[in-house]
Amino acid sequence: MLPLDLPFAALCVSLRALEPVHLPPFPGSKLEGAFGRALYRLACTQPQRETCQGCPLQTICPYGLSYAPRLPESLQVASLGTPPRPIIFRVAYGEERHLGAGEALTFGLVVVGQAVTQLPYLLAALREVGREGLGHTRGRLELEEVRSVQPYTGEEVTLLRGADLDVNLSPLLLRAGELPPVPGEGLRLHLRSPLHLRAGGQMARDLHFPVLLRALQRRVGNLEQLYGGAASLGADFTRLPLLARGVETVRQDVRLVSQLRKGSRPGQKTNMEGLVGTVEYRGDFRPFAPLLRLGEQLGMGKWAHFGAGLYDLEAAG
């Protein structure tokens, strides 16, 4: 088993529409962008800079830590050329949504490792997420509630409620060793948001288990070494991919979806595409259980911080 020391907090955020809100099928990038702008306004003390690079406060600023993480010299490796962000939105792919005034919008937010220490700023930014408007109509929303949840037991605590001044800064922390095992010899993955994995220089269309495992191992290892205890630094990353070859792909029922996303520059657009659907595997999943469970919460693949690459695990008969 890959040694992992990566605590994280899973939050459930509820907003209520103050006016009509029109959201695309995958609203993760909209929410992430609004959250990033709110966090920037709250935390940045040098707004005259065009980027965070070179800012003397980058390593302690809540915005710099989450949106422009600096790679430590000890981790100058190819797989960390673009450091993953420790704030991860959990938003499923669905239909276009038209919220009327008074209707609720609920989504998940995972805060990884050291980023949990920035929780006061993160909660303050969540208060501001919907105030500038979201979606095509720029409809405004207000924060209703933020809860810290344990997704496998149902335990939860309220961190923030509406305009209340009381704030709870003690979220439930989850760790790899505390996550439930993966049951049985059959496993079904329900891909809930677009999964974009690279294999052979292009997007993988066949999600064989070794492809999945390598992506999981890379993502979780990078997050753990940057924001956790770095227990996996120097570990053998070759053993699990070799074992993964013994897992059979029983059935794959997926489809390609895509959505245009506005870039950070005027006129810039990116086509976010990936696979949604179901993949079924058969084999011995015990060596991979911690990675599979962490991936279930942290997502994987391209645009994972927007909520892409989310899946649910289910025993397959």
Side-chain angles (χ1 to χ4, degrees), residues 127-197:
R127 282 192 189 273
E128 304 295 321
V129 161
R131 291 186 179 179
E132 66 174 18
L134 282 178
H136 302 309
T137 57
R138 309 301 299 173
R140 293 178 301 114
L141 304 95
E142 63 179 358
L143 181 70
E144 188 168 73
E145 187 178 54
V146 181
R147 291 174 287 123
S148 175
V149 300
Q150 214 291 13
Y152 300 107
T153 66
E155 182 183 2
E156 61 179 51
V157 296
T158 299
L159 302 181
L160 185 62
R161 182 173 286 124
D164 289 356
L165 296 179
D166 293 336
V167 180
N168 179 4
L169 298 178
S170 299
L172 301 172
L173 288 181
L174 291 81
R175 300 179 185 275
E178 300 168 355
L179 301 178
V182 176
E185 296 182 352
L187 187 65
R188 188 176 295 116
L189 265 71
H190 297 282
L191 303 174
R192 299 178 54 232
S193 62
L195 175 61
H196 186 117
L197 300 181

Side-chain angles (χ1 to χ4, degrees), residues 30-158:
K30 301 284 188 185
L31 291 166
E32 193 265 358
F35 177 82
R37 290 188 292 273
L39 185 60
Y40 177 82
R41 291 193 297 267
L42 287 166
C44 181
T45 61
Q46 299 197 19
Q48 73 278 8
R49 291 181 175 272
E50 292 186 4
T51 71
C52 295
Q53 302 305 316
C55 176
L57 302 177
Q58 184 179 357
T59 58
I60 60 173
C61 168
Y63 180 84
L65 287 171
S66 298
Y67 277 76
R70 181 182 294 176
L71 190 62
E73 292 183 4
S74 61
L75 295 177
Q76 297 290 342
V77 293
S79 65
L80 277 167
T82 302
R85 296 179 185 176
I87 308 296
I88 302 159
F89 283 75
R90 289 180 52 83
V91 187
Y93 181 89
E95 303 292 334
E96 288 190 11
R97 293 192 63 186
H98 296 265
L99 298 177
E103 290 189 78
L105 172 66
T106 301
F107 60 91
L109 186 74
V110 177
V111 185
V112 177
Q114 299 167 6
V116 175
T117 63
Q118 305 297 327
L119 191 60
Y121 281 94
L122 305 182
L123 292 176
L126 286 172
R127 282 192 189 273
E128 304 295 321
V129 161
R131 291 186 179 179
E132 66 174 18
L134 282 178
H136 302 309
T137 57
R138 309 301 299 173
R140 293 178 301 114
L141 304 95
E142 63 179 358
L143 181 70
E144 188 168 73
E145 187 178 54
V146 181
R147 291 174 287 123
S148 175
V149 300
Q150 214 291 13
Y152 300 107
T153 66
E155 182 183 2
E156 61 179 51
V157 296
T158 299

Side-chain angles (χ1 to χ4, degrees), residues 242-282:
L242 289 174
L243 290 176
R245 296 177 183 177
V247 175
E248 175 191 3
T249 303
V250 176
R251 184 174 63 88
Q252 177 172 301
D253 182 15
V254 298
R255 60 189 175 95
L256 182 68
V257 297
S258 64
Q259 179 176 296
L260 283 178
R261 168 183 168 263
K262 290 183 180 179
S264 57
R265 299 175 182 176
Q268 183 185 40
K269 291 186 178 182
T270 302
N271 187 33
M272 299 174 60
E273 65 174 8
L275 301 173
V276 296
T278 303
V279 189
E280 189 172 320
Y281 303 104
R282 182 165 298 279

Side-chain angles (χ1 to χ4, degrees), residues 268-311:
Q268 183 185 40
K269 291 186 178 182
T270 302
N271 187 33
M272 299 174 60
E273 65 174 8
L275 301 173
V276 296
T278 303
V279 189
E280 189 172 320
Y281 303 104
R282 182 165 298 279
D284 181 3
F285 300 100
R286 287 174 297 180
F288 318 110
L291 280 174
L292 288 167
R293 287 300 188 191
L294 283 168
E296 193 175 25
Q297 300 303 319
L298 307 179
M300 63 174 168
K302 199 170 184 179
W303 306 297
H305 57 287
F306 291 154
L310 289 181
Y311 61 81

